[in-house]
């Protein structure tokens, strides 16, 4: 049943503040380590601890910019920096190995048919998700373990692990676009409701796999990106426990 009245006004939820903190920290980390990211482009996959199918240059290939009609939805979800940073820093336009899993998330959530602006917004944040996972994967060999921060990460990350990470980040970003659209316009659009229900269901299915995924990723920045991407019991855990994410930088 569609809501015929606006939601009651309420103070900004604590989780909304944590969401902004996580977004800002991700952007800050990219800019703090931008020189390291550039330097990694001249290295081989083995030197960066990457799988053979994922060269550094391919992982940070620039996604296509979102159409103008999609910008409002992306911005309303608080994801405009998430989409614009890959446009500013990405290299080339060749699709890397994480593009397909990000696109698959967008296709799953828009399969019921959405108006163009909403569908394009979802496609844009999913494409950006592949870039963010790829960029932090390129930096991974220079980072510390997410629990034992002083321990360097020296193992090679598997491509399946990066694919699963991309799925989680894309799902979380797309869910934010859908949730914000419903908050702003109400739930009278059945296609939008269906898309959001698909996203919530997929998050529930994904949640049991996240602890093992985070351990496979190992590195602090990648773990924070994935752990804070979508709603689950471990989202914003560091903020809730007062550990102070970002202390390494």
């Amino acid at each position: 049943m569609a809501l015929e009245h606006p939601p009651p006004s309420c103070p900004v939820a604590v989780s909304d503040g944590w969401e902004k903190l996580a977004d800002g920290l991700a952007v800050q980390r990219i800019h703090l380590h931008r020189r390291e990211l550039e330097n990694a482009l001249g290295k081989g996959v083995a030197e960066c601890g990457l799988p053979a199918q994922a060269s550094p240059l391919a992982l940070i290939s620039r996604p296509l910019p979102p159409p103008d009609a999609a910008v409002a939805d992306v911005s309303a979800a608080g994801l405009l920096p998430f989409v614009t940073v890959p446009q500013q820093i990405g290299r080339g336009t060749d699709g890397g190995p994480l593009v397909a899993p990000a696109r698959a998330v967008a296709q799953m959530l828009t399969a019921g048919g959405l108006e163009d602006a909403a569908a394009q917004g979802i496609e844009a944040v999913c494409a950006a998700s592949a870039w963010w996972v790829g960029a932090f994967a390129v930096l991974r060999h220079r980072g510390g373990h997410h629990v034992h921060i002083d321990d360097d990460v020296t193992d090679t990350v598997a491509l399946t692990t990066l694919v699963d990470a991309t799925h989680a980040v894309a799902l979380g970003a797309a869910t934010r676009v859908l949730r914000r659209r419903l908050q702003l316009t109400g739930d009278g659009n059945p296609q939008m409701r269906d898309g959001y229900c698909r996203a919530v269901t997929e998050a529930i299915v994904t949640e049991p796999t996240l602890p093992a995924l985070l351990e496979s990723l190992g590195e602090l920045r990648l773990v924070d990106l994935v752990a804070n991407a979508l709603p689950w019991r471990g989202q914003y855990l560091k903020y809730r426990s007062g550990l102070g994410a970002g202390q390494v930088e």
Side-chain angles (χ1 to χ4, degrees):
M1 179 183 296
L3 295 176
E4 300 298 337
H5 54 82
S9 59
C10 60
V12 176
V14 173
S15 60
D16 290 344
W18 288 341
E19 183 178 88
K20 290 181 174 63
L21 178 58
D23 291 347
L25 185 58
V27 173
Q28 179 192 52
R29 282 170 164 164
I30 283 293
H31 286 295
L32 281 173
H33 301 285
R34 185 167 175 177
R35 180 171 295 179
E36 296 173 48
L37 189 64
E38 296 282 342
N39 291 340
L41 298 182
K43 298 179 180 179
V45 292
E47 194 173 357
C48 294
L50 295 170
Q53 311 93 317
S55 70
L57 186 58
L59 287 176
I60 63 165
S61 61
R62 184 185 297 115
L64 294 174
D68 291 342
V71 172
D73 278 296
V74 172
S75 182
L79 289 167
L80 193 58
F82 186 80
V83 169
T84 55
V85 168
Q87 297 298 317
Q88 297 166 349
I89 302 178
R91 293 293 191 88
T93 55
D94 293 334
L98 304 183
V99 172
R103 185 181 297 124
V105 173
Q107 291 172 341
M108 173 187 64
L109 298 181
T110 60
L114 298 178
E115 58 183 272
D116 288 346
Q120 290 167 354
I122 289 170
E123 291 164 0
V125 299
C126 286
S129 298
W131 186 91
W132 281 95
V133 173
F136 281 130
V138 171
L139 292 170
R140 179 177 177 273
H141 69 293
R142 297 298 302 273
H145 191 271
H146 71 108
V147 176
H148 310 290
I149 297 175
D150 293 332
D151 293 344
D152 294 334
V153 175
T154 58
D155 62 325
T156 297
V157 65
L159 182 59
T160 53
T161 298
L162 295 180
V163 167
D164 290 344
T166 301
H167 175 88
V169 176
L171 178 61
T175 301
R176 285 173 60 173
V177 173
L178 287 162
R179 182 177 68 239
R180 188 57 176 158
R181 172 64 83 94
L182 287 169
Q183 288 172 340
L184 291 173
T185 64
D187 65 347
N189 185 317
Q191 288 79 22
M192 198 68 62
R193 290 201 313 270
D194 179 67
Y196 184 68
C197 289
R198 288 171 188 257
V200 171
T201 301
E202 185 64 19
I204 293 170
V205 172
T206 301
E207 178 167 357
T209 70
L210 289 177
L213 172 60
L214 299 181
E215 285 306 309
S216 296
L217 291 169
E219 193 268 336
L220 175 70
R221 293 173 293 235
L222 260 175
V223 166
D224 281 355
L225 178 72
V226 175
N228 294 329
L230 75 168
W232 70 294
R233 283 170 291 180
Q235 189 180 33
Y236 310 133
L237 180 60
K238 288 185 178 180
Y239 306 154
R240 293 199 300 268
S241 64
L243 293 177
Q247 59 189 327
V248 174
E249 285 84 5

